[in-house]
Amino acid sequence: MGQILVTVIGFSGGFLVAGGVVSVMVGLGIITRFIGLSHTARQILWYEDAILLGAVAGNVATVFDFRLVIGAWFLAVTGAFIGVFVGGWVMALAEVLDIFPVYSRRLGIRHGARWIVAALAAGKTAGSLLYFFRGLG
């Protein structure tokens, strides 16, 4: 009985967090921006299903301890997709909050903002690769 209660509480908490994440994604306009950039508005039902499936899969992976033996290539591809997704989040949040114009105005940067953004992305990528290939992750 105790295990069932813990499972229900875990899933409930996971669904609340996943709902919050999805509402932030919608509030920031991440989903609509991805749809607009990819010109795939006709597949909106696929987007909804993918978001729901991702939320449920994240809950299951967090609550239960299981291992998948699928190889390093799958890990690399999955990591690339996750990196693109998180990068999209960060850029959407920065765009909504107008971080770049505020920083460039305060720091007096008039030219080269795209190089600064590229350097930030390259540094994050290099740090992540160093972290994972050194066996720290």
Side-chain angles (χ1 to χ4, degrees):
M1 184 68 178
Q3 292 291 334
I4 294 173
L5 180 63
V6 170
T7 302
V8 169
I9 291 172
F11 271 111
S12 300
F15 278 116
L16 286 174
V17 170
V21 168
V22 171
S23 66
V24 168
M25 288 171 59
V26 170
L28 289 177
I30 294 172
I31 299 169
T32 54
R33 184 149 173 90
F34 283 156
I35 291 170
L37 289 174
S38 62
H39 305 291
T40 55
R42 284 184 270 163
Q43 284 84 18
I44 189 70
L45 295 176
W46 287 98
Y47 279 100
E48 291 174 357
D49 291 342
I51 291 168
L52 180 63
L53 182 63
V56 171
N59 284 328
V60 170
T62 303
V63 172
F64 298 108
D65 185 26
F66 60 91
R67 298 194 183 274
L68 295 175
V69 182
I70 45 182
W73 63 271
F74 185 78
L75 180 63
V77 171
T78 303
F81 279 116
I82 291 171
V84 168
F85 180 73
V86 171
W89 267 77
V90 170
M91 293 309 294
L93 183 59
E95 190 174 303
V96 167
L97 298 177
D98 292 327
I99 289 173
F100 293 119
V102 170
Y103 273 133
S104 48
R105 189 172 43 248
R106 294 204 182 213
L107 295 175
I109 299 170
R110 291 199 165 83
H111 303 290
R114 76 176 67 160
W115 294 106
I116 293 171
V117 172
L120 289 169
K124 179 67 176 167
T125 302
S128 296
L129 290 174
L130 181 68
Y131 179 80
F132 287 112
F133 285 129
R134 289 289 206 144
L136 302 173

